[in-house]
Amino acid sequence: MEFLKEIVNVIFSIFNAMSFYLLLGFLFAGILHVLVPQQLFSKYLSKNNWVSVLYATLFGIPLPLCSCGVIPTAMALYKEGASKGSVISFLIATPQTGIDSIIATYSLLGLPFAIIRPVAAFFTSIFAGLVTNVFTSKEENVKVTAQKNTEEQKLSFGQKIKRVFQYGYVEMMEDIGKMLLFGLMIAGLIAYFVPDNFFTIFKGNTLLTMLLILVVAIPMYVCATGSIPIAIALMMKGMSPGTALVLLMAGPAANIASMMVIGKVLGKKTFIIYLITLVIGAIGCGLIMDNFLPASWFDVSNFGMAAHNHHGGFYYFKVVCSFILFALLANSILFKKHREEAEVMENNGNKIAFKINGMTCNHCKANATKAISNLKSVKEVTVNLSEGVAYVDGNPTDEEVKSAVEAIGFTFGGRV
């Protein structure tokens, strides 16, 4: 039982170091989501030039979208007329960063890493988008089709404040809560089972280490915030900061599900460009970090001692933040199904039920709701994320619903 105690201590130390910054990051994420008009994204991303790539990257870096939520959002942008280059830039920039993960990176890895991470995402995304534009310049963009106006009524100031907290501390936590806890558990297991200075067996061959990390990170499903504890745990075992950056870039930006959707919707050529540019960008940024930046900027050797320092008022403040964050995570995970069932019971009535496969977060839910709502034969839609079912008020055909959801990367499962 001694090893379990040590693993729990490591998990608590990392969680305690992140809690205040995560709470702050979730708040900023809610503010960003509520106050920034979503229509801005599609408006500036339609041109097949470097400007649309730049806008897509700048829009994507601060957005609080996880690695699963970015897929339907990007596919929806593509359907609304965004160029393939801007879509690829958005797909690479967005899941790597987010205001919440930038703040969380600062909490564990320090200010230099927190700055370098979005900078690396920026240049990699620009590179990927420009290369995509060059190789797809002769392809026509998807034509923007007329859609029904589904904008919500303007919220009052009080309603906006409520919506900020609802999105930041409920919906965002539902989306990344499990992945965050998974990352913490993996970090605890690494800290206990992986020998100290494990990465010295590669004898300074950081390129080989990066390639091995890519083999694991690219198919792995992990969010930008959940990957941080894993990165610091590996760095404490001797992994170079540049290799940690490769993990933090490739892990959130690619996974099996996202790669399949990109290949299906954007085409095999675009998918290959996306994967190659992501790998080149991640390795290039990692090598620059290891060879041209001071190693002292990324020293984590004192993290364990600092995390176990139980003195000072700020430590107890962080403990309080940890309990608050844990309670919010428990609420988002344990009561999510109950909230969705209540919503469906309230709005279901005699609606038609359609099975939608591939939805994994609230952004997926929002995009599926929007796609089906835009059908002329639909009056209202309620989506149950846990069941993967859309309850539709209207008389759409199966083919209409199938076409709407598959256009943004989901799979149609027929009527329930």
Side-chain angles (χ1 to χ4, degrees):
M1 295 298 291
E2 188 65 27
F3 80 96
L4 284 177
K5 181 179 179 181
E6 185 171 339
I7 292 172
V8 170
N9 284 337
V10 171
I11 292 173
F12 177 75
S13 296
I14 297 175
F15 190 80
N16 206 37
M18 296 176 71
S19 58
F20 167 71
Y21 299 96
L22 281 174
L23 289 172
L24 189 62
F26 284 129
L27 177 61
F28 285 156
I31 294 171
L32 187 64
H33 178 79
V34 173
L35 298 183
V36 177
Q38 301 299 303
Q39 296 83 354
L40 285 176
F41 303 142
S42 56
K43 179 180 178 181
Y44 292 102
L45 307 184
S46 59
K47 301 296 182 181
N48 195 29
N49 56 26
W50 70 270
V51 177
S52 67
V53 170
L54 176 62
Y55 279 135
T57 303
L58 293 176
F59 282 145
I61 284 176
L63 277 185
L65 283 173
C66 60
S67 45
C68 59
V70 71
I71 290 295
T73 303
M75 296 305 105
L77 290 174
Y78 178 62
K79 185 182 178 183
E80 292 173 7
S83 67
K84 285 189 176 181
S86 60
V87 170
I88 290 299
S89 296
F90 187 82
L91 280 167
I92 290 178
T94 308
Q96 290 186 51
T97 51
I99 190 68
D100 57 311
S101 64
I102 293 172
I103 294 175
T105 301
Y106 167 74
S107 71
L108 287 187
L109 297 171
L111 182 60
F113 223 124
I115 294 173
I116 289 169
R117 193 177 183 188
V119 169
F122 174 83
F123 285 108
T124 303
S125 303
I126 294 290
F127 169 62
L130 293 177
V131 172
T132 302
N133 276 347
V134 169
F135 285 94
T136 62
S137 58
K138 295 182 180 180
E139 300 178 16
E140 292 185 4
N141 290 356
V142 173
K143 293 182 179 179
V144 183
T145 56
Q147 298 178 344
K148 294 192 303 182
N149 182 9
T150 57
E151 289 187 26
E152 299 179 359
Q153 295 181 349
K154 290 185 177 180
L155 301 176
S156 66
F157 178 75
Q159 289 172 322
K160 286 183 178 179
I161 296 300
K162 181 180 179 181
R163 180 65 185 137
V164 165
F165 284 94
Q166 170 70 22
Y167 180 82
Y169 294 124
V170 178
E171 294 180 20
M172 273 287 291
M173 289 194 173
E174 286 179 352
D175 291 343
I176 74 169
K178 289 182 180 179
M179 290 307 305
L180 175 60
L181 295 177
F182 173 76
L184 288 167
M185 287 188 288
I186 293 297
L189 293 173
I190 289 172
Y192 184 81
F193 289 107
V194 177
D196 291 339
N197 298 320
F198 170 78
F199 287 92
T200 58
I201 64 175
F202 296 102
K203 298 180 179 179
N205 192 337
T206 54
L207 181 58
L208 176 60
T209 314
M210 290 175 184
L211 292 173
L212 291 174
I213 288 294
L214 282 171
V215 170
V216 176
I218 286 179
M220 181 174 64
Y221 178 79
V222 62
C223 67
T225 304
S227 62
I228 300 170
I230 301 174
I232 193 170
L234 290 172
M235 286 178 67
M236 292 174 70
K237 297 300 180 179
M239 189 172 75
S240 72
T243 309
L245 181 64
V246 170
L247 169 65
L248 292 172
M249 292 178 69
N255 57 68
I256 290 295
S258 65
M259 290 189 289
M260 290 179 65
V261 172
I262 293 168
K264 178 182 177 181
V265 178
L266 299 181
K268 291 182 179 179
K269 181 168 69 172
T270 303
F271 161 70
I272 293 172
I273 295 170
Y274 153 81
L275 193 58
I276 291 176
T277 52
L278 174 60
V279 169
I280 293 174
I283 291 179
C285 292
L287 291 175
I288 291 172
M289 191 172 181
D290 279 343
N291 292 287
F292 297 99
L293 298 178
S296 58
W297 286 6
F298 315 108
D299 183 15
V300 296
S301 59
N302 293 324
F303 175 79
M305 291 182 290
H308 286 87
N309 183 5
H310 292 188
H311 302 288
F314 189 59
Y315 170 79
Y316 295 105
F317 172 74
K318 289 193 292 184
V319 170
V320 171
C321 289
S322 295
F323 278 111
I324 294 172
L325 180 61
F326 182 79
L328 290 170
L329 286 169
N331 171 69
S332 67
I333 294 171
L334 297 177
F335 298 103
K336 175 183 178 182
K337 186 174 182 180
H338 174 74
R339 284 191 293 270
E340 287 195 329
E341 288 176 348
E343 182 182 0
V344 170
M345 288 294 293
E346 180 181 352
N347 300 305
N348 187 7
N350 295 318
K351 294 180 179 178
I352 307 169
F354 296 97
K355 182 68 175 178
I356 311 296
N357 298 314
M359 297 186 297
T360 54
C361 70
N362 281 292
H363 293 288
C364 299
K365 175 180 175 180
N367 280 288
T369 301
K370 179 181 177 182
I372 299 172
S373 296
N374 284 330
L375 296 174
K376 293 181 180 179
S377 54
V378 171
K379 298 177 182 178
E380 187 179 13
V381 180
T382 303
V383 174
N384 186 306
L385 185 59
S386 299
E387 295 178 355
V389 175
Y391 296 91
V392 180
D393 183 6
N395 59 346
T397 65
D398 288 20
E399 193 59 37
E400 285 178 323
V401 178
K402 181 176 185 292
S403 177
V405 299
E406 289 189 351
I408 56 173
F410 300 127
T411 304
F412 180 69
R415 299 198 181 205
V416 179

